[in-house]
Every structure is written in structure tokens, then in C-alpha cells.
Amino acid sequence: MSIFSKEEAQKLLKKALSYSKAEECEVALNGSESGNIRYARNAVSTAGEISRMSLVVSSSFGKKTGTASIDEFDDASLEKVVRRSEELAQLAPENPEHMPLLGPQEFPESITFVPATASITPDTRAEAVAKSIQVSKDAKLQAAGYLENSTNSVAIMNSKGLFAYNKDTDVVFSVTTRNEEGTGSGYAARGFNDVSKLDTFSATKVATTKANGSVGARAIEPGKYTVILEPVAVAYMLENMFFGLDARNADEGRSFMSKPGGGNRLGEQLMDQKVTIYSDPFHPELPSSTWNREGQLLTKRNWIEKGVVKNLSYSRYWASKKGVDPVPGPGNIIMEGGTESIEEMIRSTEKGVLVSRLWYIRMVDPQTLLLTGLTRDGTFYIENGEIKFPVKNFRFNESPVIMLNNVETLGKPERSISVESYRSYLVPAMKVRDFTFTSLSDAV
């Protein structure tokens, strides 16, 4: 078994630390068990299960650190990997940003582990995919998709007396449906800690509706449009912004949070007052660990509050350099929403575009967070409160910061997956004005 209980992890880490002769030593134990099933053209193509475990030892002498890892846990192997990390530390150059290890901390138990998800079997996965395939067949479409579940355990212990342990589960599902002619495409993705919330039937229904509805797409002129972004499109659009909530990048002039002339934008009104973004380890729809790999406590924290930058993450090194308290980065990202449904947003739109999904997003300018990318899997023209017809896909050039200054309405937050990073976010659908489409794309 690759998943260690808290007691098993503690015992193994104590033994590994007992071999240490370094000034400081930290040991991390990681275990994971996962299963997956992949299908294409309405038939399963591959399936499998993966089990991994590893122990990583970091030894420090002054500001010199060496790291070694191993996946064998007998006494001789444990001593060997500790000795190896110490040898590497003696050969390493000094790290000017080295920080001493933290001492004992108290961490509340997380809500990331769900026994039902940990108990998923190959039959469970096959049944879920069979429902998806049947929906696709009934709609006379071809489906390609992927379902994966995982259980993970992680524990750290150091020579200063810190110990932390967490166990989590996750299940993710994505499906693309297309017609035989390749002229219509739809997509849906779902992710949960609790497998009982996963409904592959209804998710695939969404994808098939998009696929059949996107046939016969017409070309319309690029330009600035009022745009309704579904939650999966919002997750793709905002992900680079979430990664940029870091004080050091801002202070060094490398991010959209950099202030002209130096410093960062803490305390500034950067977005519309409808925008509040926070992290919360105990959010029931998107829980996270209550600690990070440095052994810092993670708590609920507002990053953007009513459009104002309330917090940026400070590593322990950068905090010491700036004379402030460390602020660990977010374990999850949640954006508050509103109450409007996508249908209500459509009805209130005189002229606009409904975007189901974005992809192939690339950075153009980190200082303004200008991004470029493409729409896909169902893009529709709206006029006088109704969807009139599908349109050809667009390339866009837009900054999420500017976009969040142009928010008109927000929907209810939904857990959405960015397949490019395979991370989940809790974000709402949103209606924004003046979204910039620069050209057309013939891709479906």
C-alpha cells in the first residue's frame, strides 16, 4: 500500500531522522494511488492503476543543502539516503536565501479525504464511462474522454520538531464530443473530492448539446463584444492571474502586481468592486490541506476584496528581507459570484458572444497580464436576449485584469478544471463588456 496512515508516516519519518548528522534535516513522505480510464470514438482505449511512494531527505549544514530521495524503506536504505543527502550538502554552494526550518506547529485536520472516492474500483470507472458513451451514441456523436481518481498522502517531519500530515482524494472527468463530419464540438469537465457528486451522464449531455448546437458556425467580424464566459472558460482565463499573487515577483517588477516606479499594488483598487477572490482550506466544494510544504499554517484569506488587493504571498525569505510577516500562498482559489444564471445573462444581452471554453492560452505581456488564446467547443452569437446561431471561433487578446474591471454580472461559483494545469478552481460564470477578439479561427 502506498497510502500511509498518520501513525505509520510518523514512525517511518522518525526512523529516517534518527540517522541524521546534519545541522538541520527535513524528511518528506509522499504516497499516491490512482486509477484511470480513457476512451475515444465511443470505445475504451486504455485503463490502468498506478501506485507511487517516495521519501525525500533534505540535509543542511549552514546555508548548504543537499537533497536525495528513495522508494525503499528498510533500515539500510533509509540510512543510505540520509547519508547521500549529507554528502550532497557538503558539495553544494551556499544558498543566500536559505531559511532555517520551522519548529513544532499545530494544524487542524483537513476535510480533503472522502472514503468513497478512495474506494473507487475499475468497475466504478467503467460504469461512469459507459454512461457517457451511451449519451454520445444517442446523440449520434463521437466521444473522447478521460476519468481519473486519486488518493494521496503526504507527511513532513524535521529535526526542529515539526510534523504535519494530510490525506486527500480527488476525481476528475473530461469529455469532448464531435460529429462525424468534424463540424461540431462540445466539451465538459468536472472535478470533485467526493465521487458521489460526479455525474458523467449530465456532463456529457452538456457536451453533446454544445456539439450539435455548434454545427453550421458562421463568421462574424472580430472586435470588442459583450461576452458571457461559462465557468470553465473563466478558470482558463484567470489561472495566470491566480499564479501572480506573489509579492516578490511584484516587487521585482515582473508581474501585473508591480507598481510603476517600484513596489507592489497592495491596497490598490485594481478591479471592479464585484470581484472578491479568496482561499479557504475548509470550503466544502474545494477543500485543501491546512498546511504547505514549508510547514506553514494555511487559513482563510482574502486576496482581492471588492476589487482591492488585500494580500500577496510572501515567502519566508522575502518577508524577512522586507520586514513583514510571511504570507503563505493559497492552497485553493475561490471567486465569489452572484445569483444570475447563464440563461438570465443571455436574456439581458442585446448583442454579444457566449463562450463555452478557451484553450491554448499564452502570455503576451506579464506586466499587464495580456493573454492570447482561442475559443473552442461551442461559441454562439447573442442578439436581443437570444442565441441566434453558432459562430466560428475567435483568437482573443485580453488581460484578465482589464476583464475584471469590465464585469457586469456574475453567476453562481462552480468547481471548474483547467486541463492545462489539471488544477481546480471555484469560479462563477461572468458577463463582461468590451472583450477583445482579434481574428477568426477555422478550427472547431
Side-chain angles (χ1 to χ4, degrees):
M1 293 289 289
S2 299
I3 305 301
F4 292 82
S5 69
K6 184 175 182 178
E7 292 72 22
E8 290 169 335
Q10 198 165 23
K11 181 179 179 181
L12 182 59
L13 294 179
K14 277 183 179 179
K15 178 172 285 189
L17 274 177
S18 71
Y19 296 114
S20 175
K21 298 177 182 178
E23 293 174 12
E24 290 187 333
C25 185
E26 181 179 82
V27 189
L29 180 64
N30 302 283
S32 69
E33 294 178 351
S34 64
N36 64 78
I37 184 167
R38 190 184 301 274
Y39 58 109
R41 298 190 66 82
N42 290 341
V44 171
S45 55
T46 63
E49 294 191 338
I50 303 169
S51 179
R52 296 189 182 97
M53 55 184 178
S54 66
L55 184 136
V56 181
V57 182
S58 294
S59 297
S60 296
F61 296 90
K63 293 186 175 184
K64 301 167 68 172
T65 301
T67 301
S69 63
I70 200 167
D71 59 5
E72 298 175 294
F73 301 145
D74 58 275
D75 291 0
S77 296
L78 291 176
E79 184 172 13
K80 180 181 177 180
V81 73
V82 172
R83 293 285 91 79
R84 180 59 175 159
S85 71
E86 292 171 350
E87 291 167 5
L88 292 171
Q90 299 288 7
L91 297 171
E94 286 195 349
N95 176 9
E97 298 183 8
H98 175 82
M99 296 298 293
L101 296 175
L102 293 172
Q105 310 286 320
E106 292 292 329
F107 306 111
E109 186 174 349
S110 73
I111 57 170
T112 53
F113 180 78
V114 179
T117 309
S119 301
I120 290 176
T121 66
D123 285 345
T124 309
R125 293 189 289 272
E127 290 167 7
V129 164
K131 293 176 183 177
S132 174
I133 290 174
Q134 190 58 54
V135 173
S136 177
K137 287 180 177 178
D138 291 344
K140 297 181 170 48
L141 298 170
Q142 297 287 338
Y146 184 70
L147 189 152
E148 181 180 29
N149 63 279
S150 60
T151 304
N152 305 282
S153 65
V154 58
I156 60 172
M157 182 181 287
N158 70 32
S159 53
K160 294 283 189 69
L162 183 145
F163 174 71
Y165 174 86
N166 192 65
K167 186 163 62 171
D168 68 74
T169 55
D170 201 33
V171 57
V172 293
F173 168 74
S174 63
V175 59
T176 300
T177 57
R178 291 198 166 197
N179 60 5
E180 287 285 357
E181 297 77 19
T183 57
S185 181
Y187 174 83
R190 302 288 187 269
F192 303 100
N193 292 79
D194 185 352
V195 69
S196 68
K197 297 178 180 179
L198 176 63
D199 184 349
T200 56
F201 179 91
S202 63
T204 309
K205 274 281 191 183
V206 171
T208 58
T209 300
K210 298 280 189 184
N212 284 326
S214 62
V215 175
R218 306 182 200 176
I220 63 173
E221 284 296 317
K224 289 187 178 291
Y225 285 87
T226 293
V227 167
I228 298 169
L229 297 167
E230 297 195 4
V232 68
V234 172
Y236 275 69
M237 190 68 191
L238 298 187
E239 185 169 44
N240 283 283
M241 189 187 79
F242 298 152
F243 292 155
L245 299 171
D246 177 76
R248 182 173 186 174
N249 287 340
D251 291 339
E252 293 181 341
R254 295 183 283 117
S255 96
F256 70 100
M257 284 290 182
S258 299
K259 196 172 185 177
N264 58 55
R265 296 185 178 275
L266 267 173
E268 288 191 19
Q269 181 86 37
L270 199 61
M271 301 160 192
D272 187 277
Q273 63 178 3
K274 299 183 191 70
V275 177
T276 293
I277 296 168
Y278 67 99
S279 54
D280 180 4
F282 291 101
H283 195 290
E285 295 301 319
L286 189 65
S288 76
S289 174
T290 58
W291 52 274
N292 66 10
R293 292 303 179 97
E294 283 195 84
Q296 294 173 292
L297 177 68
L298 299 182
T299 59
K300 185 175 181 179
R301 191 184 303 275
N302 279 1
W303 302 96
I304 309 292
E305 185 178 329
K306 295 183 178 179
V308 177
V309 182
K310 286 293 185 179
N311 281 290
L312 293 174
S313 63
Y314 280 81
S315 68
R316 292 174 59 222
Y317 167 76
W318 198 247
S320 67
K321 188 178 177 74
K322 293 295 181 178
V324 299
D325 292 332
V327 179
N332 58 12
I333 289 286
I334 302 141
M335 180 174 174
E336 287 186 359
T339 58
E340 279 205 23
S341 66
I342 291 174
E343 291 74 20
E344 288 171 326
M345 292 181 192
I346 292 170
R347 284 197 294 270
S348 66
T349 302
E350 183 179 344
K351 180 182 177 182
V353 176
L354 172 65
V355 176
S356 301
R357 184 186 176 201
L358 302 171
W359 78 297
Y360 203 39
I361 295 175
R362 295 296 181 266
M363 184 73 71
V364 177
D365 180 13
Q367 273 70 37
T368 61
L369 207 63
L370 181 64
L371 307 175
T372 188
L374 299 163
T375 65
R376 71 177 298 180
D377 297 321
T379 308
F380 303 91
Y381 178 67
I382 303 166
E383 191 172 79
N384 297 325
E386 295 180 354
I387 291 178
K388 292 296 184 180
F389 49 81
V391 295
K392 285 192 173 183
N393 285 309
F394 291 104
R395 173 168 291 280
F396 69 86
N397 272 37
E398 190 60 85
S399 165
V401 179
I402 294 174
M403 186 182 85
L404 292 178
N405 272 285
N406 292 334
V407 172
E408 292 190 352
T409 56
L410 297 172
K412 183 180 177 182
E414 295 180 15
R415 183 164 171 171
S416 298
I417 303 169
S418 169
V419 177
E420 291 193 10
S421 67
Y422 243 72
R423 293 189 62 172
S424 291
Y425 306 97
L426 200 65
V427 293
M430 62 176 63
K431 179 179 173 180
V432 299
R433 59 186 177 274
D434 294 332
F435 192 91
T436 307
F437 294 122
T438 54
S439 60
L440 294 175
S441 169
D442 287 328
V444 175

